[in-house]
Amino acid sequence: MKRRMPGFDPERFFDLIKGGHTGQLAIGFHAQGPGWIDLILPYDAKLVGDAATGILASGPIVALMDMATSSAVWIRRGRFAPHVTLDLRVDYLRPATPERAVIGRGECYRLSRSVAFVRGVAYHDAPNDPIAHVAGTFMLMDAPAKDVPLQDQRT
Amino acid sequence: MIALPPYAATLGARLERDEAGAPLLVLPFGEPVLGRPGFLHGGAIAGLLEVAAIAALAHVLEADGGGRIKPINVTVDYQRGGRDRVTYAAGVVTRLGNRIANVEATAWQDDRAKPIAAARLNYLIER
């Protein structure tokens, strides 16, 4: 049975997003564990960056990782709250396999009063066999951040 | 002539030329690139910067024997919120080596001197 805890519910959040850029890419909730969240980007021919190979463009992977790491911040803060991306770095370790969905794992590994530090990987089968690696920072736009201890985070 | 990938059409971006004939990406504001209400999605901005960088590199490579372009990494700095108006993006190849190219890309709206985001990108070239 699923535990119901107050806070940010990523499954419900992504069920509700049908429009905008996230809806356009059909990014959805995939899985969640202590300190991490996985979102899924389904393969779609309209997101291809190289028509000759069918390999996904890098843009949709950046968008996936931006949302996965953002979700990790909202989970850690225990609610949805506005923040803006300061910077995001993506290392493309290998091409995504055509016709396969990409999973984006996001973690918020440090939350200061006004900045959230995040990292993540994009993968097909296992996070230790990544397609891309990301690191970034978000500026929190509201009141100083209140950290939620790991054991109280919704899983 | 550079062909944009299917992903660029999904964003709604089109390729134009600046006064010097270099590639210039034009992205109308719309539902496909919407983040929070009234603002561009950061992922769409990053995607546009990457398309602009690849267009700039392909343009320079055309005159230098051509080659396949493979992305190594990208670092995007977000400087201003992208509002509900047209966005432009262009790349500058700061160094074209035999195997590696360094590219800088900028996205702006009303004023090119006030970018909404900038990116540094490294590419592997297979000649």
Side-chain angles (χ1 to χ4, degrees), chain A residues 4-66:
Chain A
R4 276 284 156 200
M5 284 183 62
F8 176 70
D9 183 342
E11 200 167 349
R12 187 158 177 275
F13 182 79
F14 284 97
D15 274 350
L16 292 174
I17 299 184
K18 296 290 172 237
H21 191 56
T22 306
Q24 174 84 356
L25 301 180
I27 291 171
F29 174 81
H30 186 65
Q32 193 181 353
W36 59 263
I37 175 166
D38 278 356
L39 301 183
I40 185 163
L41 170 73
Y43 182 82
D44 189 329
K46 73 179 199 278
L47 303 180
V48 162
D50 181 352
T53 59
I55 294 170
L56 282 182
S58 42
I61 293 179
V62 180
L64 171 71
M65 299 315 297
D66 184 90

Side-chain angles (χ1 to χ4, degrees), chain A residues 77-96:
Chain A
R77 299 189 70 190
R79 65 192 168 93
F80 174 82
H83 60 221
V84 295
T85 318
L86 282 180
D87 82 298
L88 196 64
R89 177 199 165 102
V90 184
D91 289 311
Y92 298 108
L93 307 176
R94 62 185 173 86

Side-chain angles (χ1 to χ4, degrees), chain A residues 91-95 120-133:
Chain A
D91 289 311
Y92 298 108
L93 307 176
R94 62 185 173 86
V121 287
Y123 67 94
H124 286 310
D125 296 312
N128 63 4
D129 183 20
I131 297 162
H133 178 272

Side-chain angles (χ1 to χ4, degrees), chain A residues 71-155:
Chain A
S71 300
V73 174
W74 295 324
I75 290 166
R76 181 151 178 172
R77 299 189 70 190
R79 65 192 168 93
F80 174 82
H83 60 221
V84 295
T85 318
L86 282 180
D87 82 298
L88 196 64
R89 177 199 165 102
V90 184
D91 289 311
Y92 298 108
L93 307 176
R94 62 185 173 86
T97 306
E99 309 290 339
R100 294 199 67 187
V102 177
I103 313 291
R105 172 161 299 194
E107 293 176 34
C108 172
Y109 66 94
R110 159 83 181 143
L111 191 62
S112 79
R113 289 170 62 85
S114 51
V115 178
F117 298 81
V118 298
R119 61 187 170 209
V121 287
Y123 67 94
H124 286 310
D125 296 312
N128 63 4
D129 183 20
I131 297 162
H133 178 272
V134 308
T137 49
F138 294 106
M139 179 81 195
L140 309 178
M141 297 305 283
D142 56 348
K146 181 176 174 294
D147 203 353
V148 176
L150 202 60
Q151 65 269 22
D152 293 341
Q153 288 180 28
R154 187 182 176 278
T155 53

